[in-house]
Amino acid sequence: MRIGTLKQDYVADAALFDSRTQHAWLGIAAVLLVAFPFAANDYWLYMACLVAINVASSAGLNILTGYTGLVSLGQAAFMGLGAYTVAILQLRWGTPLALNLLAAGVVAMLGGIIVGVPSLRVKGLYLAIVTIAATFIAHFLFANFDFTGGTTGLSMRPARVFDVDLDTSFRLYWLIVPVTVLMLLGAANLFRTRIGRAFIAIRDRDISAEVLGIPLLQYKLLSFGLSSFYAGVAGGLFAYFFRVITPESFPLSMSIFFLAAIIVGGMGSTLGSILGAVFMTLVPELLKFVVDLLPGGAELTVFLAPVRLVVFGALIIVFLVFEPLGLAEMWRRTRRFFHLWPFRN
């Protein structure tokens, strides 16, 4: 059982990973991520890419909602801004992939800052309504301008890296997963800085944070901007992955999906962003797999689809009743149990 660690300087005290055990687990995770595409079939590679995109967007929403305490139902709109930015830049100017993803994040960040302006005066459900309005405005813009392709949307060519077309899930995996890992590391490091601590202070008690000298509007807009940047990059990855972008690609239900993901995974936790996105993405697929195993499952799929959704919703409700702090807290409790288990009576 780990009792403590000796820190001899400030660099060691501020380290994100401060033990050999953590380094070992990180090494194992890296090996698994590298080996996975060589062992998985096309279906699981597709799902891995989709999970990684959802993890990236969930991590951004967790910055805003989990750490800063600002409820948002506009994550899909910001993903749409990023996706359309990538598609337009590629189709009109043929700009490189890295520049497109960066531009997607910046455009979404600007949109997020604009939406975040009312956050100084409204909060809670009122702020959620503001972000819902942003979703409908974004949908209107996507569907009614010629450069966005209108209701038919835009179709893209495969992304190219070093003259190689990323036209398969195997090749896209090496783009989407590394970008997602970098974004997760950025989110984890953010809350070891003055900015991250200011976000947490605003979440816990914004009036007290203001008394302490934290400018609320500046940091709330910064939180909206960072969250939207993550959503924009995730939207750009979404565009490269599916290569067809329409206004219906980013409905309000997608924003609800991401909000549910960080609640199920655990708000205010980078691990929660990962676990929640994995849960919300894979559990419906696993339920579908179970239905297919039933006698006559292929024929019953259409009739059992609503039942599968009900079961999925019931799982979320039951889960939150027994563990309202999310999957991340379940993982921490399990880890503590096995650490203490040999010493239990």
Side-chain angles (χ1 to χ4, degrees), residues 154-172:
L154 299 172
S155 297
M156 299 171 53
R157 300 182 302 275
R160 290 179 65 84
V161 177
F162 301 118
D163 295 327
V164 176
D165 286 335
L166 305 183
D167 54 357
T168 64
S169 296
F170 177 84
R171 292 177 177 177
L172 282 165

Side-chain angles (χ1 to χ4, degrees), residues 47 50-52 54-55 58 257 260-266 271-287 311-320 326-328 330:
M47 293 305 302
L50 185 59
V51 165
N54 291 340
V55 166
S58 297
F257 172 93
I262 65 170
I263 292 173
V264 169
L271 177 61
S273 302
I274 299 171
L275 297 178
V278 170
F279 179 91
M280 294 293 293
T281 307
L282 293 185
V283 167
E285 294 297 318
L286 294 176
L287 290 175
V311 171
F312 180 49
L315 282 174
I316 295 175
I317 294 172
V318 171
F319 171 78
L320 292 178
L327 285 167
M330 287 184 64

Side-chain angles (χ1 to χ4, degrees), residues 53-241:
I53 293 171
N54 291 340
V55 166
S57 189
S58 297
L61 184 60
N62 222 342
I63 292 174
L64 181 66
T65 302
Y67 283 100
T68 318
L70 302 174
V71 180
S72 173
L73 285 171
Q75 199 73 349
F78 304 130
M79 284 187 67
L81 288 174
Y84 273 97
T85 299
V86 164
I88 292 169
L89 288 176
Q90 188 203 66
L91 293 173
R92 289 178 178 265
W93 292 285
T95 48
L97 180 149
L99 180 60
N100 291 348
L101 288 178
L102 180 61
V106 171
V107 170
M109 174 185 284
L110 294 175
I113 291 173
I114 294 172
V115 173
V117 170
S119 65
L120 185 64
R121 300 298 299 272
V122 298
K123 61 180 66 175
L125 293 177
Y126 298 97
L127 183 59
I129 296 299
V130 171
T131 57
I132 290 175
T135 300
F136 289 118
I137 292 171
H139 185 277
F140 175 82
L141 296 176
F142 298 154
N144 289 278
F145 282 94
D146 292 336
F147 65 88
T148 61
T151 56
T152 58
L154 299 172
S155 297
M156 299 171 53
R157 300 182 302 275
R160 290 179 65 84
V161 177
F162 301 118
D163 295 327
V164 176
D165 286 335
L166 305 183
D167 54 357
T168 64
S169 296
F170 177 84
R171 292 177 177 177
L172 282 165
Y173 179 93
W174 300 106
L175 166 67
I176 295 172
V177 171
V179 170
T180 299
V181 170
L182 289 176
M183 294 169 73
L184 289 172
L185 289 175
N189 277 284
L190 175 65
F191 298 99
R192 298 162 54 243
T193 67
R194 176 174 56 86
I195 295 174
R197 291 192 291 270
F199 289 165
I200 295 172
I202 292 171
R203 178 196 65 189
D204 292 342
R205 188 68 174 175
D206 56 353
I207 296 176
S208 299
E210 188 173 24
V211 170
L212 291 172
I214 297 173
L216 293 186
L217 181 59
Q218 175 183 331
Y219 278 94
K220 285 183 177 182
L221 292 182
L222 181 58
S223 181
F224 263 101
L226 288 174
S227 175
S228 302
F229 181 88
Y230 271 63
V233 174
L237 296 174
F238 182 97
Y240 281 126
F241 185 55

